[in-house]
PDB file of all heavy atoms in Angstrom:
ATOM      1  N   LEU A  15      -8.331-123.590-246.883  1.00 98.00           N
ATOM      2  CA  LEU A  15      -8.473-124.056-245.505  1.00 98.00           C
ATOM      3  C   LEU A  15      -7.295-124.890-245.000  1.00 98.00           C
ATOM      4  O   LEU A  15      -6.859-124.698-243.855  1.00 98.00           O
ATOM      5  CB  LEU A  15      -9.790-124.847-245.363  1.00 98.00           C
ATOM      6  CG  LEU A  15     -10.171-125.246-243.939  1.00 98.00           C
ATOM      7  CD1 LEU A  15     -10.304-124.028-243.036  1.00 98.00           C
ATOM      8  CD2 LEU A  15     -11.475-126.047-243.940  1.00 98.00           C
ATOM      9  N   PRO A  16      -6.721-125.821-245.788  1.00 98.00           N
ATOM     10  CA  PRO A  16      -5.621-126.632-245.237  1.00 98.00           C
ATOM     11  C   PRO A  16      -4.408-125.808-244.798  1.00 98.00           C
ATOM     12  O   PRO A  16      -3.638-126.249-243.942  1.00 98.00           O
ATOM     13  CB  PRO A  16      -5.260-127.552-246.412  1.00 98.00           C
ATOM     14  CG  PRO A  16      -6.480-127.625-247.248  1.00 98.00           C
ATOM     15  CD  PRO A  16      -7.096-126.265-247.151  1.00 98.00           C
ATOM     16  N   SER A  17      -4.247-124.631-245.369  1.00 98.00           N
ATOM     17  CA  SER A  17      -3.059-123.823-245.049  1.00 98.00           C
ATOM     18  C   SER A  17      -3.248-122.937-243.824  1.00 98.00           C
ATOM     19  O   SER A  17      -2.296-122.280-243.382  1.00 98.00           O
ATOM     20  CB  SER A  17      -2.710-122.935-246.243  1.00 98.00           C
ATOM     21  OG  SER A  17      -3.722-121.957-246.466  1.00 98.00           O
ATOM     22  N   ILE A  18      -4.441-122.908-243.249  1.00 98.00           N
ATOM     23  CA  ILE A  18      -4.730-121.977-242.154  1.00 98.00           C
ATOM     24  C   ILE A  18      -4.453-122.662-240.815  1.00 98.00           C
ATOM     25  O   ILE A  18      -5.061-123.687-240.492  1.00 98.00           O
ATOM     26  CB  ILE A  18      -6.183-121.490-242.210  1.00 98.00           C
ATOM     27  CG1 ILE A  18      -6.470-120.835-243.561  1.00 98.00           C
ATOM     28  CG2 ILE A  18      -6.460-120.498-241.078  1.00 98.00           C
ATOM     29  CD1 ILE A  18      -7.934-120.469-243.766  1.00 98.00           C
ATOM     30  N   GLY A  19      -3.560-122.080-240.042  1.00 98.00           N
ATOM     31  CA  GLY A  19      -3.194-122.679-238.762  1.00 98.00           C
ATOM     32  C   GLY A  19      -3.896-122.088-237.562  1.00 98.00           C
ATOM     33  O   GLY A  19      -3.770-122.605-236.451  1.00 98.00           O
ATOM     34  N   ARG A  20      -4.636-121.035-237.735  1.00 98.00           N
ATOM     35  CA  ARG A  20      -5.247-120.340-236.600  1.00 98.00           C
ATOM     36  C   ARG A  20      -6.175-121.250-235.812  1.00 98.00           C
ATOM     37  O   ARG A  20      -6.911-122.058-236.383  1.00 98.00           O
ATOM     38  CB  ARG A  20      -6.031-119.123-237.091  1.00 98.00           C
ATOM     39  CG  ARG A  20      -6.682-118.307-235.967  1.00 98.00           C
ATOM     40  CD  ARG A  20      -7.479-117.137-236.515  1.00 98.00           C
ATOM     41  NE  ARG A  20      -8.172-116.407-235.470  1.00 98.00           N
ATOM     42  CZ  ARG A  20      -9.026-115.411-235.693  1.00 98.00           C
ATOM     43  NH1 ARG A  20      -9.273-115.023-236.944  1.00 98.00           N
ATOM     44  NH2 ARG A  20      -9.621-114.794-234.690  1.00 98.00           N
ATOM     45  N   GLU A  21      -6.138-121.102-234.497  1.00 98.00           N
ATOM     46  CA  GLU A  21      -7.055-121.785-233.594  1.00 98.00           C
ATOM     47  C   GLU A  21      -7.626-120.744-232.631  1.00 98.00           C
ATOM     48  O   GLU A  21      -6.873-120.008-231.985  1.00 98.00           O
ATOM     49  CB  GLU A  21      -6.344-122.893-232.810  1.00 98.00           C
ATOM     50  CG  GLU A  21      -5.817-124.023-233.674  1.00 98.00           C
ATOM     51  CD  GLU A  21      -5.069-125.074-232.872  1.00 98.00           C
ATOM     52  OE1 GLU A  21      -4.425-124.700-231.860  1.00 98.00           O
ATOM     53  OE2 GLU A  21      -5.116-126.258-233.242  1.00 98.00           O
ATOM     54  N   TYR A  22      -8.938-120.673-232.542  1.00 98.00           N
ATOM     55  CA  TYR A  22      -9.567-119.751-231.593  1.00 98.00           C
ATOM     56  C   TYR A  22      -9.231-120.169-230.161  1.00 98.00           C
ATOM     57  O   TYR A  22      -9.191-121.367-229.842  1.00 98.00           O
ATOM     58  CB  TYR A  22     -11.079-119.757-231.769  1.00 98.00           C
ATOM     59  CG  TYR A  22     -11.613-118.774-232.786  1.00 98.00           C
ATOM     60  CD1 TYR A  22     -11.383-118.950-234.144  1.00 98.00           C
ATOM     61  CD2 TYR A  22     -12.364-117.677-232.389  1.00 98.00           C
ATOM     62  CE1 TYR A  22     -11.884-118.052-235.083  1.00 98.00           C
ATOM     63  CE2 TYR A  22     -12.871-116.774-233.310  1.00 98.00           C
ATOM     64  CZ  TYR A  22     -12.628-116.964-234.653  1.00 98.00           C
ATOM     65  OH  TYR A  22     -13.111-116.071-235.578  1.00 98.00           O
ATOM     66  N   ASN A  23      -9.028-119.192-229.299  1.00 98.00           N
ATOM     67  CA  ASN A  23      -8.860-119.465-227.874  1.00 98.00           C
ATOM     68  C   ASN A  23     -10.146-119.102-227.128  1.00 98.00           C
ATOM     69  O   ASN A  23     -11.100-118.579-227.714  1.00 98.00           O
ATOM     70  CB  ASN A  23      -7.646-118.725-227.308  1.00 98.00           C
ATOM     71  CG  ASN A  23      -7.733-117.212-227.504  1.00 98.00           C
ATOM     72  OD1 ASN A  23      -8.814-116.617-227.381  1.00 98.00           O
ATOM     73  ND2 ASN A  23      -6.593-116.580-227.800  1.00 98.00           N
ATOM     74  N   TYR A  24     -10.178-119.376-225.823  1.00 98.00           N
ATOM     75  CA  TYR A  24     -11.397-119.124-225.056  1.00 98.00           C
ATOM     76  C   TYR A  24     -11.772-117.650-225.058  1.00 98.00           C
ATOM     77  O   TYR A  24     -12.959-117.297-225.091  1.00 98.00           O
ATOM     78  CB  TYR A  24     -11.224-119.608-223.615  1.00 98.00           C
ATOM     79  CG  TYR A  24     -11.188-121.108-223.468  1.00 98.00           C
ATOM     80  CD1 TYR A  24     -10.145-121.740-222.787  1.00 98.00           C
ATOM     81  CD2 TYR A  24     -12.203-121.915-224.000  1.00 98.00           C
ATOM     82  CE1 TYR A  24     -10.104-123.115-222.645  1.00 98.00           C
ATOM     83  CE2 TYR A  24     -12.171-123.290-223.869  1.00 98.00           C
ATOM     84  CZ  TYR A  24     -11.114-123.886-223.182  1.00 98.00           C
ATOM     85  OH  TYR A  24     -11.080-125.249-223.046  1.00 98.00           O
ATOM     86  N   ASN A  25     -10.786-116.769-225.028  1.00 98.00           N
ATOM     87  CA  ASN A  25     -11.076-115.350-225.018  1.00 98.00           C
ATOM     88  C   ASN A  25     -11.757-114.932-226.315  1.00 98.00           C
ATOM     89  O   ASN A  25     -12.735-114.173-226.312  1.00 98.00           O
ATOM     90  CB  ASN A  25      -9.783-114.553-224.820  1.00 98.00           C
ATOM     91  CG  ASN A  25     -10.047-113.097-224.540  1.00 98.00           C
ATOM     92  OD1 ASN A  25     -10.575-112.723-223.488  1.00 98.00           O
ATOM     93  ND2 ASN A  25      -9.682-112.236-225.471  1.00 98.00           N
ATOM     94  N   GLU A  26     -11.284-115.448-227.452  1.00 98.00           N
ATOM     95  CA  GLU A  26     -11.902-115.121-228.738  1.00 98.00           C
ATOM     96  C   GLU A  26     -13.302-115.713-228.860  1.00 98.00           C
ATOM     97  O   GLU A  26     -14.207-115.085-229.425  1.00 98.00           O
ATOM     98  CB  GLU A  26     -11.013-115.617-229.881  1.00 98.00           C
ATOM     99  CG  GLU A  26      -9.714-114.833-230.004  1.00 98.00           C
ATOM    100  CD  GLU A  26      -8.758-115.440-231.007  1.00 98.00           C
ATOM    101  OE1 GLU A  26      -8.599-116.688-231.012  1.00 98.00           O
ATOM    102  OE2 GLU A  26      -8.161-114.674-231.794  1.00 98.00           O
ATOM    103  N   ILE A  27     -13.499-116.908-228.314  1.00 98.00           N
ATOM    104  CA  ILE A  27     -14.842-117.494-228.296  1.00 98.00           C
ATOM    105  C   ILE A  27     -15.786-116.625-227.480  1.00 98.00           C
ATOM    106  O   ILE A  27     -16.928-116.364-227.877  1.00 98.00           O
ATOM    107  CB  ILE A  27     -14.796-118.929-227.726  1.00 98.00           C
ATOM    108  CG1 ILE A  27     -14.047-119.872-228.670  1.00 98.00           C
ATOM    109  CG2 ILE A  27     -16.218-119.445-227.459  1.00 98.00           C
ATOM    110  CD1 ILE A  27     -14.710-120.109-230.003  1.00 98.00           C
ATOM    111  N   ALA A  28     -15.320-116.143-226.328  1.00 98.00           N
ATOM    112  CA  ALA A  28     -16.160-115.296-225.482  1.00 98.00           C
ATOM    113  C   ALA A  28     -16.482-113.974-226.160  1.00 98.00           C
ATOM    114  O   ALA A  28     -17.594-113.440-226.011  1.00 98.00           O
ATOM    115  CB  ALA A  28     -15.467-115.053-224.139  1.00 98.00           C
ATOM    116  N   ILE A  29     -15.543-113.418-226.919  1.00 98.00           N
ATOM    117  CA  ILE A  29     -15.836-112.196-227.678  1.00 98.00           C
ATOM    118  C   ILE A  29     -16.907-112.471-228.717  1.00 98.00           C
ATOM    119  O   ILE A  29     -17.935-111.778-228.790  1.00 98.00           O
ATOM    120  CB  ILE A  29     -14.556-111.663-228.357  1.00 98.00           C
ATOM    121  CG1 ILE A  29     -13.559-111.130-227.325  1.00 98.00           C
ATOM    122  CG2 ILE A  29     -14.913-110.548-229.350  1.00 98.00           C
ATOM    123  CD1 ILE A  29     -12.203-110.786-227.909  1.00 98.00           C
ATOM    124  N   MET A  30     -16.693-113.487-229.534  1.00 98.00           N
ATOM    125  CA  MET A  30     -17.545-113.748-230.689  1.00 98.00           C
ATOM    126  C   MET A  30     -18.960-114.154-230.296  1.00 98.00           C
ATOM    127  O   MET A  30     -19.925-113.843-231.018  1.00 98.00           O
ATOM    128  CB  MET A  30     -16.906-114.840-231.554  1.00 98.00           C
ATOM    129  CG  MET A  30     -17.673-115.176-232.809  1.00 98.00           C
ATOM    130  SD  MET A  30     -16.763-116.299-233.896  1.00 98.00           S
ATOM    131  CE  MET A  30     -16.529-117.703-232.813  1.00 98.00           C
ATOM    132  N   THR A  31     -19.121-114.831-229.170  1.00 98.00           N
ATOM    133  CA  THR A  31     -20.423-115.370-228.791  1.00 98.00           C
ATOM    134  C   THR A  31     -21.055-114.671-227.598  1.00 98.00           C
ATOM    135  O   THR A  31     -22.198-114.990-227.246  1.00 98.00           O
ATOM    136  CB  THR A  31     -20.311-116.870-228.465  1.00 98.00           C
ATOM    137  OG1 THR A  31     -19.391-117.050-227.369  1.00 98.00           O
ATOM    138  CG2 THR A  31     -19.820-117.663-229.662  1.00 98.00           C
ATOM    139  N   ARG A  32     -20.360-113.746-226.986  1.00 98.00           N
ATOM    140  CA  ARG A  32     -20.899-113.043-225.826  1.00 98.00           C
ATOM    141  C   ARG A  32     -20.752-111.525-225.957  1.00 98.00           C
ATOM    142  O   ARG A  32     -21.714-110.807-226.169  1.00 98.00           O
ATOM    143  CB  ARG A  32     -20.187-113.502-224.536  1.00 98.00           C
ATOM    144  CG  ARG A  32     -20.741-114.751-223.918  1.00 98.00           C
ATOM    145  CD  ARG A  32     -20.127-116.013-224.416  1.00 98.00           C
ATOM    146  NE  ARG A  32     -20.597-117.139-223.622  1.00 98.00           N
ATOM    147  CZ  ARG A  32     -20.493-118.403-224.003  1.00 98.00           C
ATOM    148  NH1 ARG A  32     -19.918-118.718-225.153  1.00 98.00           N
ATOM    149  NH2 ARG A  32     -20.968-119.373-223.226  1.00 98.00           N
ATOM    150  N   ALA A  33     -19.498-111.062-225.842  1.00 98.00           N
ATOM    151  CA  ALA A  33     -19.240-109.630-225.758  1.00 98.00           C
ATOM    152  C   ALA A  33     -19.642-108.895-227.023  1.00 98.00           C
ATOM    153  O   ALA A  33     -20.311-107.853-226.974  1.00 98.00           O
ATOM    154  CB  ALA A  33     -17.755-109.398-225.444  1.00 98.00           C
ATOM    155  N   ALA A  34     -19.233-109.401-228.180  1.00 98.00           N
ATOM    156  CA  ALA A  34     -19.521-108.712-229.442  1.00 98.00           C
ATOM    157  C   ALA A  34     -21.017-108.697-229.771  1.00 98.00           C
ATOM    158  O   ALA A  34     -21.545-107.652-230.162  1.00 98.00           O
ATOM    159  CB  ALA A  34     -18.712-109.333-230.576  1.00 98.00           C
ATOM    160  N   PRO A  35     -21.741-109.816-229.650  1.00 98.00           N
ATOM    161  CA  PRO A  35     -23.183-109.749-229.922  1.00 98.00           C
ATOM    162  C   PRO A  35     -23.925-108.775-229.011  1.00 98.00           C
ATOM    163  O   PRO A  35     -24.825-108.066-229.459  1.00 98.00           O
ATOM    164  CB  PRO A  35     -23.656-111.187-229.698  1.00 98.00           C
ATOM    165  CG  PRO A  35     -22.450-112.029-229.896  1.00 98.00           C
ATOM    166  CD  PRO A  35     -21.300-111.202-229.414  1.00 98.00           C
ATOM    167  N   ALA A  36     -23.541-108.740-227.732  1.00 98.00           N
ATOM    168  CA  ALA A  36     -24.195-107.808-226.819  1.00 98.00           C
ATOM    169  C   ALA A  36     -23.969-106.371-227.260  1.00 98.00           C
ATOM    170  O   ALA A  36     -24.889-105.539-227.259  1.00 98.00           O
ATOM    171  CB  ALA A  36     -23.676-108.025-225.401  1.00 98.00           C
ATOM    172  N   ARG A  37     -22.733-106.054-227.654  1.00 98.00           N
ATOM    173  CA  ARG A  37     -22.432-104.705-228.112  1.00 98.00           C
ATOM    174  C   ARG A  37     -23.175-104.388-229.405  1.00 98.00           C
ATOM    175  O   ARG A  37     -23.729-103.297-229.571  1.00 98.00           O
ATOM    176  CB  ARG A  37     -20.924-104.545-228.313  1.00 98.00           C
ATOM    177  CG  ARG A  37     -20.520-103.119-228.670  1.00 98.00           C
ATOM    178  CD  ARG A  37     -19.019-102.939-228.635  1.00 98.00           C
ATOM    179  NE  ARG A  37     -18.361-103.547-229.788  1.00 98.00           N
ATOM    180  CZ  ARG A  37     -17.047-103.448-230.030  1.00 98.00           C
ATOM    181  NH1 ARG A  37     -16.261-102.797-229.182  1.00 98.00           N
ATOM    182  NH2 ARG A  37     -16.518-104.022-231.098  1.00 98.00           N
ATOM    183  N   LEU A  38     -23.227-105.328-230.338  1.00 98.00           N
ATOM    184  CA  LEU A  38     -23.900-105.110-231.618  1.00 98.00           C
ATOM    185  C   LEU A  38     -25.376-104.807-231.422  1.00 98.00           C
ATOM    186  O   LEU A  38     -25.947-103.960-232.120  1.00 98.00           O
ATOM    187  CB  LEU A  38     -23.733-106.343-232.507  1.00 98.00           C
ATOM    188  CG  LEU A  38     -24.299-106.246-233.924  1.00 98.00           C
ATOM    189  CD1 LEU A  38     -23.395-105.390-234.802  1.00 98.00           C
ATOM    190  CD2 LEU A  38     -24.477-107.640-234.536  1.00 98.00           C
ATOM    191  N   LEU A  39     -26.020-105.493-230.483  1.00 98.00           N
ATOM    192  CA  LEU A  39     -27.457-105.376-230.269  1.00 98.00           C
ATOM    193  C   LEU A  39     -27.830-104.284-229.267  1.00 98.00           C
ATOM    194  O   LEU A  39     -29.014-104.039-229.031  1.00 98.00           O
ATOM    195  CB  LEU A  39     -28.025-106.715-229.796  1.00 98.00           C
ATOM    196  CG  LEU A  39     -27.908-107.880-230.788  1.00 98.00           C
ATOM    197  CD1 LEU A  39     -28.185-109.205-230.101  1.00 98.00           C
ATOM    198  CD2 LEU A  39     -28.837-107.689-231.975  1.00 98.00           C
ATOM    199  N   GLY A  40     -26.828-103.662-228.659  1.00 98.00           N
ATOM    200  CA  GLY A  40     -27.101-102.628-227.668  1.00 98.00           C
ATOM    201  C   GLY A  40     -27.519-103.170-226.319  1.00 98.00           C
ATOM    202  O   GLY A  40     -28.145-102.466-225.520  1.00 98.00           O
ATOM    203  N   LEU A  41     -27.150-104.416-226.014  1.00 98.00           N
ATOM    204  CA  LEU A  41     -27.546-105.073-224.760  1.00 98.00           C
ATOM    205  C   LEU A  41     -26.447-104.880-223.719  1.00 98.00           C
ATOM    206  O   LEU A  41     -25.618-105.760-223.486  1.00 98.00           O
ATOM    207  CB  LEU A  41     -27.818-106.555-225.005  1.00 98.00           C
ATOM    208  CG  LEU A  41     -28.846-106.869-226.098  1.00 98.00           C
ATOM    209  CD1 LEU A  41     -28.964-108.364-226.315  1.00 98.00           C
ATOM    210  CD2 LEU A  41     -30.205-106.258-225.753  1.00 98.00           C
ATOM    211  N   LYS A  42     -26.450-103.727-223.069  1.00 97.00           N
ATOM    212  CA  LYS A  42     -25.371-103.383-222.151  1.00 97.00           C
ATOM    213  C   LYS A  42     -25.398-104.192-220.859  1.00 97.00           C
ATOM    214  O   LYS A  42     -24.412-104.220-220.126  1.00 97.00           O
ATOM    215  CB  LYS A  42     -25.428-101.884-221.835  1.00 97.00           C
ATOM    216  CG  LYS A  42     -25.209-101.008-223.063  1.00 97.00           C
ATOM    217  CD  LYS A  42     -25.289 -99.525-222.721  1.00 97.00           C
ATOM    218  CE  LYS A  42     -25.058 -98.676-223.957  1.00 97.00           C
ATOM    219  NZ  LYS A  42     -25.146 -97.210-223.655  1.00 97.00           N
ATOM    220  N   ASP A  43     -26.518-104.855-220.592  1.00 97.00           N
ATOM    221  CA  ASP A  43     -26.642-105.590-219.329  1.00 97.00           C
ATOM    222  C   ASP A  43     -26.118-107.016-219.416  1.00 97.00           C
ATOM    223  O   ASP A  43     -26.137-107.743-218.421  1.00 97.00           O
ATOM    224  CB  ASP A  43     -28.101-105.610-218.870  1.00 97.00           C
ATOM    225  CG  ASP A  43     -29.038-106.322-219.851  1.00 97.00           C
ATOM    226  OD1 ASP A  43     -28.597-106.636-220.981  1.00 97.00           O
ATOM    227  OD2 ASP A  43     -30.225-106.545-219.494  1.00 97.00           O
ATOM    228  N   ARG A  44     -25.622-107.443-220.566  1.00 98.00           N
ATOM    229  CA  ARG A  44     -25.194-108.839-220.717  1.00 98.00           C
ATOM    230  C   ARG A  44     -23.981-108.932-221.631  1.00 98.00           C
ATOM    231  O   ARG A  44     -23.496-107.931-222.148  1.00 98.00           O
ATOM    232  CB  ARG A  44     -26.346-109.695-221.237  1.00 98.00           C
ATOM    233  CG  ARG A  44     -26.809-109.332-222.638  1.00 98.00           C
ATOM    234  CD  ARG A  44     -28.158-109.947-222.940  1.00 98.00           C
ATOM    235  NE  ARG A  44     -29.218-109.261-222.204  1.00 98.00           N
ATOM    236  CZ  ARG A  44     -30.436-109.731-222.017  1.00 98.00           C
ATOM    237  NH1 ARG A  44     -30.777-110.917-222.509  1.00 98.00           N
ATOM    238  NH2 ARG A  44     -31.347-109.040-221.349  1.00 98.00           N
ATOM    239  N   GLY A  45     -23.465-110.166-221.787  1.00 98.00           N
ATOM    240  CA  GLY A  45     -22.272-110.360-222.596  1.00 98.00           C
ATOM    241  C   GLY A  45     -20.980-110.155-221.828  1.00 98.00           C
ATOM    242  O   GLY A  45     -19.902-110.248-222.399  1.00 98.00           O
ATOM    243  N   HIS A  46     -21.079-109.875-220.523  1.00 98.00           N
ATOM    244  CA  HIS A  46     -19.892-109.654-219.687  1.00 98.00           C
ATOM    245  C   HIS A  46     -20.182-110.132-218.268  1.00 98.00           C
ATOM    246  O   HIS A  46     -21.326-110.459-217.916  1.00 98.00           O
ATOM    247  CB  HIS A  46     -19.514-108.170-219.684  1.00 98.00           C
ATOM    248  CG  HIS A  46     -20.548-107.272-219.047  1.00 98.00           C
ATOM    249  ND1 HIS A  46     -20.555-106.999-217.700  1.00 98.00           N
ATOM    250  CD2 HIS A  46     -21.613-106.604-219.579  1.00 98.00           C
ATOM    251  CE1 HIS A  46     -21.573-106.198-217.415  1.00 98.00           C
ATOM    252  NE2 HIS A  46     -22.230-105.958-218.548  1.00 98.00           N
ATOM    253  N   LEU A  47     -19.153-110.167-217.453  1.00 98.00           N
ATOM    254  CA  LEU A  47     -19.266-110.631-216.066  1.00 98.00           C
ATOM    255  C   LEU A  47     -18.901-109.528-215.086  1.00 98.00           C
ATOM    256  O   LEU A  47     -18.463-109.786-213.969  1.00 98.00           O
ATOM    257  CB  LEU A  47     -18.373-111.857-215.842  1.00 98.00           C
ATOM    258  CG  LEU A  47     -18.709-113.092-216.694  1.00 98.00           C
ATOM    259  CD1 LEU A  47     -17.674-114.191-216.494  1.00 98.00           C
ATOM    260  CD2 LEU A  47     -20.117-113.611-216.374  1.00 98.00           C
ATOM    261  N   GLY A  48     -19.105-108.291-215.499  1.00 98.00           N
ATOM    262  CA  GLY A  48     -18.781-107.159-214.647  1.00 98.00           C
ATOM    263  C   GLY A  48     -19.862-106.865-213.629  1.00 98.00           C
ATOM    264  O   GLY A  48     -21.015-107.298-213.755  1.00 98.00           O
ATOM    265  N   GLU A  49     -19.487-106.093-212.621  1.00 97.00           N
ATOM    266  CA  GLU A  49     -20.409-105.707-211.565  1.00 97.00           C
ATOM    267  C   GLU A  49     -21.615-104.992-212.155  1.00 97.00           C
ATOM    268  O   GLU A  49     -21.487-104.104-212.984  1.00 97.00           O
ATOM    269  CB  GLU A  49     -19.685-104.795-210.574  1.00 97.00           C
ATOM    270  CG  GLU A  49     -20.523-104.366-209.391  1.00 97.00           C
ATOM    271  CD  GLU A  49     -19.754-103.472-208.425  1.00 97.00           C
ATOM    272  OE1 GLU A  49     -18.506-103.407-208.556  1.00 97.00           O
ATOM    273  OE2 GLU A  49     -20.393-102.842-207.581  1.00 97.00           O
ATOM    274  N   GLY A  50     -22.807-105.399-211.755  1.00 97.00           N
ATOM    275  CA  GLY A  50     -24.039-104.829-212.258  1.00 97.00           C
ATOM    276  C   GLY A  50     -24.599-105.532-213.477  1.00 97.00           C
ATOM    277  O   GLY A  50     -25.736-105.262-213.883  1.00 97.00           O
ATOM    278  N   GLY A  51     -23.819-106.412-214.082  1.00 98.00           N
ATOM    279  CA  GLY A  51     -24.287-107.145-215.250  1.00 98.00           C
ATOM    280  C   GLY A  51     -25.345-108.172-214.894  1.00 98.00           C
ATOM    281  O   GLY A  51     -25.433-108.650-213.753  1.00 98.00           O
ATOM    282  N   LEU A  52     -26.158-108.515-215.869  1.00 98.00           N
ATOM    283  CA  LEU A  52     -27.166-109.550-215.692  1.00 98.00           C
ATOM    284  C   LEU A  52     -26.471-110.872-215.387  1.00 98.00           C
ATOM    285  O   LEU A  52     -25.473-111.218-216.019  1.00 98.00           O
ATOM    286  CB  LEU A  52     -27.994-109.663-216.968  1.00 98.00           C
ATOM    287  CG  LEU A  52     -29.334-110.376-216.907  1.00 98.00           C
ATOM    288  CD1 LEU A  52     -30.297-109.647-215.981  1.00 98.00           C
ATOM    289  CD2 LEU A  52     -29.932-110.473-218.312  1.00 98.00           C
ATOM    290  N   ALA A  53     -27.001-111.601-214.436  1.00 98.00           N
ATOM    291  CA  ALA A  53     -26.378-112.863-214.034  1.00 98.00           C
ATOM    292  C   ALA A  53     -26.779-113.983-214.988  1.00 98.00           C
ATOM    293  O   ALA A  53     -27.409-114.975-214.609  1.00 98.00           O
ATOM    294  CB  ALA A  53     -26.729-113.206-212.595  1.00 98.00           C
ATOM    295  N   ASP A  54     -26.418-113.797-216.265  1.00 98.00           N
ATOM    296  CA  ASP A  54     -26.499-114.848-217.283  1.00 98.00           C
ATOM    297  C   ASP A  54     -25.088-115.416-217.402  1.00 98.00           C
ATOM    298  O   ASP A  54     -24.184-114.760-217.935  1.00 98.00           O
ATOM    299  CB  ASP A  54     -26.938-114.275-218.622  1.00 98.00           C
ATOM    300  CG  ASP A  54     -28.412-113.905-218.667  1.00 98.00           C
ATOM    301  OD1 ASP A  54     -29.088-114.037-217.638  1.00 98.00           O
ATOM    302  OD2 ASP A  54     -28.882-113.471-219.744  1.00 98.00           O
ATOM    303  N   ILE A  55     -24.887-116.632-216.916  1.00 98.00           N
ATOM    304  CA  ILE A  55     -23.539-117.176-216.744  1.00 98.00           C
ATOM    305  C   ILE A  55     -23.523-118.630-217.190  1.00 98.00           C
ATOM    306  O   ILE A  55     -24.438-119.399-216.887  1.00 98.00           O
ATOM    307  CB  ILE A  55     -23.090-117.086-215.268  1.00 98.00           C
ATOM    308  CG1 ILE A  55     -23.107-115.612-214.799  1.00 98.00           C
ATOM    309  CG2 ILE A  55     -21.707-117.689-215.059  1.00 98.00           C
ATOM    310  CD1 ILE A  55     -23.029-115.458-213.294  1.00 98.00           C
ATOM    311  N   ALA A  56     -22.473-118.994-217.939  1.00 98.00           N
ATOM    312  CA  ALA A  56     -22.271-120.384-218.361  1.00 98.00           C
ATOM    313  C   ALA A  56     -20.931-120.867-217.839  1.00 98.00           C
ATOM    314  O   ALA A  56     -19.914-120.171-217.968  1.00 98.00           O
ATOM    315  CB  ALA A  56     -22.317-120.493-219.879  1.00 98.00           C
ATOM    316  N   VAL A  57     -20.935-122.057-217.251  1.00 98.00           N
ATOM    317  CA  VAL A  57     -19.721-122.680-216.719  1.00 98.00           C
ATOM    318  C   VAL A  57     -19.499-123.984-217.470  1.00 98.00           C
ATOM    319  O   VAL A  57     -20.412-124.814-217.586  1.00 98.00           O
ATOM    320  CB  VAL A  57     -19.854-122.948-215.204  1.00 98.00           C
ATOM    321  CG1 VAL A  57     -18.582-123.588-214.660  1.00 98.00           C
ATOM    322  CG2 VAL A  57     -20.181-121.663-214.448  1.00 98.00           C
ATOM    323  N   TYR A  58     -18.271-124.154-218.012  1.00 98.00           N
ATOM    324  CA  TYR A  58     -17.960-125.323-218.828  1.00 98.00           C
ATOM    325  C   TYR A  58     -16.824-126.132-218.201  1.00 98.00           C
ATOM    326  O   TYR A  58     -15.955-125.587-217.514  1.00 98.00           O
ATOM    327  CB  TYR A  58     -17.533-124.899-220.233  1.00 98.00           C
ATOM    328  CG  TYR A  58     -18.599-124.174-221.018  1.00 98.00           C
ATOM    329  CD1 TYR A  58     -18.579-122.784-221.137  1.00 98.00           C
ATOM    330  CD2 TYR A  58     -19.629-124.879-221.639  1.00 98.00           C
ATOM    331  CE1 TYR A  58     -19.549-122.112-221.865  1.00 98.00           C
ATOM    332  CE2 TYR A  58     -20.601-124.209-222.369  1.00 98.00           C
ATOM    333  CZ  TYR A  58     -20.562-122.824-222.480  1.00 98.00           C
ATOM    334  OH  TYR A  58     -21.522-122.164-223.194  1.00 98.00           O
TER     335      TYR A  58
END
C-alpha cells in the first residue's frame, strides 16, 4: 500500500458506485443522468 500513488477521481467514483452497479444488475433506468433515466440524483 505505501508504494501505490493512485487516487480515484470523481469520474471513477461515479463508475464504481453508479454506472457499473447499474449495468451489473441490469438496471438500465438508473446509474446515469441521460434523457429518460430515473431521476435518482445526488448533488455534493
